[in-house]
Amino acid sequence: MKARLLVIDDAAEESKIMATYLKNSGYDIISASTIASGSVVLDNQKIDLILCNLAISNAGTIKLLKRAKTEFNIPFIVISDVSLASDVVTALHLGADDYLVKPIIDLIILEHSIKRNLDQVRLEQENQTYREHLESANKELTIRLEELNLDQQAGRQIQLKMLPQPLISPQLNITHTIKPSLILSGDFLDYFPLNKQHYGFYLADVAGHGASSAFVTVLLKNLTYRLKRNLNRGSSHDLFHPVKVLERINQELLDTGCSKHLTIVYCVLNLETMKLNYSIGGHLPMPILYANGHASYLEGKGMPVGLFQSAQYNAYEMTLPAEFTLSIFSDGVLELLPQASLALKEEYLLRLIEQTSANHEAIISELSLNTDESFPDDVALVSVSGV
């Protein structure tokens, strides 16, 4: 679309020459012989640039210049036969975008000034449009982030509601701590009675962070709820068999197609015989048993859960002493430790368990998990103690 120029010039011959040249250069020209007639055009038509071939000392010129800048933000080029420095300064001070002195021997100079000022306006308009778009996008983003934060806070409350209350009984105490790296946690745990003498408990660490990982924790809670319901109905006893539990979780994760996997330790403790049955699904570090002042890792290995259709898991069994503490960490704890290798980190955890006598609160304090600091990964600890 052609740029429309308003040429205000009381010299008819000069105006005609200028208008003809600018038309040939591709501009749409509207001519006015007085400031008054130019003002009427300005009020009724869209003008892209004004050429005023009148002295800046003219009161009408000054008034029109001010209106062009304040009301319409239109470039204003003054053309005058006065070359006094004071007039140039006055024109520029009032907002004129250029000041050309007659006679203009080569009209290319005028055309260059027009093009430069139109380009400047176009650039300013593009920048303004971009700023408005950016402000709108930032406002929308702020709203969405607030909504996301509220959603995540609500999700966090749901996760907290899904976690069990600490268990205190004459034979068994279980407590836990979870510190998410984000609002939502990919670590999850649960413990529950299977009957009068059997307890089941597990710690799972879902790969990744945030909402997608937190979704899998809901799936885990739902699965264990269904398995407990089946157990109460007598239709399934899978919760007594750690391998079957891991196989069920593995299959359900694959069936969802959510492309999420996890590591897990699932255990069943018989309080009469003190037999501990467990299975490992790719979990590190291994659970640490503390008894008689000595800490050691449980044996076992297994594939991560939710990755392979043909994954196989092993059953492990051991007899625990009457007094013991089993400390199960998620792998986020390894991210907190400064040691250079996994072997050194695992050795540190053994020493920590022995130094604190596997006391849950003391461990949390030593690892600074009782602060509001952010952590590179979700960190969880389940402490199971025979008393």
Side-chain angles (χ1 to χ4, degrees):
M1 186 176 179
K2 293 181 179 180
R4 181 173 294 171
L5 312 184
L6 172 59
V7 178
I8 304 174
D9 194 344
D10 57 3
E13 189 61 32
E14 289 182 8
S15 177
K16 184 177 179 180
I17 294 172
M18 188 186 305
T20 301
Y21 178 85
L22 294 175
K23 283 180 181 179
N24 291 335
S25 297
Y27 296 106
D28 187 7
I29 305 300
I30 298 176
S31 296
S33 59
T34 65
I35 291 295
S37 58
S39 295
V40 172
V41 173
L42 186 61
D43 288 331
N44 292 279
Q45 298 196 49
K46 182 183 183 303
I47 301 300
D48 298 301
L49 182 142
I50 296 174
L51 285 170
C52 188
N53 192 5
L54 297 172
I56 194 63
S57 58
N58 185 306
T61 304
I62 294 173
K63 182 178 179 180
L64 183 66
L65 190 159
K66 288 182 177 179
R67 287 192 65 212
K69 303 306 293 184
T70 58
E71 295 182 29
F72 302 96
N73 193 28
I74 297 174
F76 196 108
I77 298 175
V78 175
I79 303 174
S80 176
D81 55 6
V82 178
S83 60
L84 294 176
S86 60
D87 281 2
V88 176
V89 171
T90 300
L92 297 178
H93 178 72
L94 290 172
D97 297 276
D98 206 348
Y99 189 103
L100 302 179
V101 179
K102 293 190 295 184
I104 302 175
I105 305 301
D106 189 349
L107 288 176
I108 291 178
I109 296 175
L110 173 61
E111 184 181 0
H112 174 74
S113 177
I114 292 171
K115 184 177 184 304
R116 176 171 55 80
N117 281 287
L118 289 175
D119 286 345
Q120 179 65 28
V121 170
R122 177 185 55 78
L123 181 61
E124 290 175 356
Q125 290 173 342
E126 289 176 354
N127 288 340
Q128 179 63 25
T129 300
Y130 175 74
R131 284 194 296 270
E132 290 173 355
H133 173 75
L134 189 60
E135 289 173 3
S136 176
N138 284 339
K139 184 178 180 180
E140 184 71 17
L141 179 61
T142 299
I143 293 172
R144 294 291 174 260
L145 287 175
E146 289 176 355
E147 291 176 350
L148 178 60
N149 182 64
L150 290 174
D151 288 345
Q152 291 193 351
Q153 292 290 354
R156 180 58 180 159
Q157 291 304 312
I158 293 172
Q159 277 194 312
L160 292 174
K161 290 290 185 182
M162 294 193 305
L163 293 171
Q165 294 297 314
L167 170 69
I168 300 176
S169 73
Q171 290 181 278
L172 188 68
N173 291 341
I174 307 179
T175 190
H176 68 270
T177 294
I178 289 185
K179 299 291 288 187
S181 59
L182 301 173
I183 295 175
L184 297 174
S185 175
D187 287 357
F188 193 70
L189 55 93
D190 204 358
Y191 37 87
F192 38 80
L194 302 178
N195 56 28
K196 291 183 178 180
Q197 70 265 21
H198 289 87
Y199 273 85
F201 52 92
Y202 68 85
L203 172 60
D205 184 351
V206 183
H209 310 282
S212 60
S213 298
F215 169 78
V216 178
T217 68
V218 178
L219 185 149
L220 280 175
K221 184 68 175 183
N222 179 264
L223 173 60
T224 54
Y225 171 79
R226 286 184 280 122
L227 291 177
K228 285 189 283 185
R229 183 184 59 189
N230 293 341
L231 177 62
N232 293 333
R233 292 175 176 177
S235 61
S236 168
H237 292 78
D238 286 354
L239 282 176
F240 283 95
H241 307 285
V243 169
K244 290 185 178 181
V245 171
L246 266 59
E247 289 174 345
R248 284 289 300 270
I249 299 172
N250 185 66
Q251 191 59 54
E252 292 212 8
L253 280 178
L254 291 172
D255 288 344
T256 64
C258 65
S259 301
K260 282 290 183 178
H261 67 278
L262 56 85
T263 65
I264 187 170
V265 178
Y266 179 77
C267 307
V268 175
L269 176 61
N270 185 330
L271 293 176
E272 289 187 354
T273 64
M274 298 305 292
K275 293 287 187 182
L276 179 72
N277 295 91
Y278 64 96
S279 188
I280 304 293
H283 196 83
L284 281 176
M286 288 292 289
I288 300 175
L289 175 64
Y290 176 78
N292 300 317
H294 177 68
S296 61
Y297 286 103
L298 299 190
E299 296 182 354
K301 60 181 181 179
M303 303 175 72
V305 178
L307 274 180
F308 307 106
Q309 190 74 43
S310 59
Q312 295 184 346
Y313 304 100
N314 301 315
Y316 298 94
E317 180 180 288
M318 66 181 302
T319 301
L320 300 178
E323 295 185 9
F324 73 93
T325 297
L326 193 64
S327 301
I328 308 175
F329 293 94
S330 67
D331 68 359
V333 71
L334 300 174
E335 297 291 328
L336 301 180
L337 304 183
Q339 289 75 18
S341 67
L342 175 61
L344 291 175
K345 293 174 187 285
E346 290 178 329
E347 179 61 31
Y348 171 82
L349 287 177
L350 289 179
R351 294 198 307 270
L352 175 63
I353 296 298
E354 290 180 348
Q355 291 169 3
T356 59
S357 299
N359 179 272
H360 186 91
E361 296 304 324
I363 296 170
I364 295 302
S365 178
E366 287 294 323
L367 293 174
S368 298
L369 294 177
N370 53 355
T371 68
D372 293 329
E373 294 181 30
S374 59
F375 300 97
D377 193 5
D378 303 326
V379 184
L381 168 62
V382 180
S383 297
V384 182
S385 299
V387 293

